[in-house]
Amino acid sequence: DVKVTQSSRYLVKRTGEKVFLECVQDMDHENMFWYRQDPGLGLRLIYFSYDVKMKEKGDIPEGYSVSREKKERFSLILESASTNQTSMYLCASTRPANTEAFFGQGTRLTVV
Amino acid sequence: SQQGEEDPQALSIQEGENATMNCSYKTSINNLQWYRQNSGRGLVHLILIRSNEREKHSGRLRVTLDTSKKSSSLLITASRAADTASYFCATDPGSNYKLTFGKGTLLTVNP
């Protein structure tokens, strides 16, 4: 059974903290993505990576960075968390042809 | 900016009825995909249609694609209460690996 696993289901952090969201996939996929999902706004792409150590900005990269040191792991970093980053974060992976994305269960982050 | 836009935003029907959702997009695509999301969970892939295809079926799902109008529709036939979920279209432009999603349609199927 293929899997994308996000490190936490729920997370509460304080304003100004550095936050790491981890995502691991076991399908040897080249592409990995981080999205945030907010009511009425759907899924918005934050960053994606098509290879180890490669990263590309999505539509809303401000306030975020990413790291991909190994093929199976893609980390999203909030350098200094703010309340407007309270959201559901979804990680996904695909093969190069983007034929089917597999999603993690999501991390609901609350910044207080 | 988001590539796909689903319409309607919300749809409420009775069990047994058909549900139709639409997706419009802005730029050329390699393929278009539909996903389902149960409340508070990750998305699950339903069906993919390539840019050179016009129609595709999978069980109770039927997807059409009109590249001249840059639009797609998802039809769920004989809906069930268990089909209650949000449905998203996603587009792959084929050139830059970017997979972008729309805002989704919330489907409610009443028993």
Side-chain angles (χ1 to χ4, degrees):
Chain A
D1 197 20
V2 297
K3 254 190 181 170
V4 177
T5 304
Q6 294 183 227
S7 53
S8 304
R9 186 82 176 91
Y10 298 96
L11 211 52
V12 179
K13 295 292 181 181
R14 295 197 179 278
T15 302
E17 276 193 79
K18 190 168 186 176
V19 181
F20 293 86
L21 302 183
E22 307 285 344
C23 176
V24 177
Q25 50 97 2
D26 64 0
M27 295 164 282
D28 201 36
H29 282 170
E30 286 76 6
N31 299 344
M32 295 188 75
F33 305 80
W34 274 107
Y35 299 89
R36 66 176 280 177
Q37 184 176 22
D38 300 287
L41 297 178
L43 276 75
R44 292 180 292 167
L45 182 62
I46 304 171
Y47 267 97
F48 64 102
S49 168
Y50 54 89
D51 201 352
V52 176
K53 297 192 186 294
M54 305 303 289
K55 59 185 179 185
E56 293 283 343
K57 292 180 180 179
D59 298 316
I60 52 162
E62 297 78 18
Y64 303 94
S65 62
V66 291
S67 171
R68 192 158 181 209
E69 296 297 318
K70 292 185 177 181
K71 191 175 185 181
E72 67 270 19
R73 187 179 298 269
F74 192 34
S75 303
L76 180 69
I77 303 155
L78 286 67
E79 295 291 341
S80 177
S82 63
T83 54
N84 63 13
Q85 292 178 311
T86 291
S87 187
M88 169 72 99
Y89 289 87
L90 293 163
C91 174
S93 72
T94 73
R95 296 211 174 279
N98 278 345
T99 50
E100 177 181 352
F102 291 86
F103 278 82
Q105 77 278 26
T107 296
R108 190 166 291 281
L109 172 68
T110 302
V111 182
V112 298
Chain B
S1 60
Q2 284 168 285
Q3 167 76 307
E5 290 286 340
E6 292 88 346
D7 169 58
Q9 287 186 317
L11 180 61
S12 182
I13 60 174
Q14 298 299 123
E15 245 183 345
E17 293 180 343
N18 295 342
T20 299
M21 290 158 267
N22 303 296
C23 170
S24 59
Y25 57 93
K26 297 171 187 171
T27 61
S28 62
I29 59 170
N30 187 45
N31 67 64
L32 185 143
Q33 304 169 38
W34 285 90
Y35 289 79
R36 167 196 169 120
Q37 183 184 37
N38 288 90
S39 181
R41 311 300 294 183
L43 279 71
V44 175
H45 182 265
L46 294 175
I47 194 167
L48 177 150
I49 187 164
R50 300 188 188 282
S51 58
N52 61 354
E53 296 176 311
R54 291 297 166 259
E55 189 170 313
K56 205 160 182 184
H57 297 256
S58 177
R60 293 185 295 114
L61 305 180
R62 173 179 169 253
V63 170
T64 61
L65 179 65
D66 186 336
T67 53
S68 66
K69 294 181 179 178
K70 292 188 169 57
S71 67
S72 173
S73 67
L74 171 68
L75 168 67
I76 304 174
T77 59
S79 62
R80 305 165 182 166
D83 293 328
T84 294
S86 291
Y87 292 82
F88 295 85
C89 67
T91 52
D92 167 25
S95 58
N96 63 1
Y97 310 97
K98 201 172 171 179
L99 187 64
T100 54
F101 288 76
K103 296 180 181 179
T105 293
L106 176 60
L107 173 66
T108 303
V109 182
N110 301 299

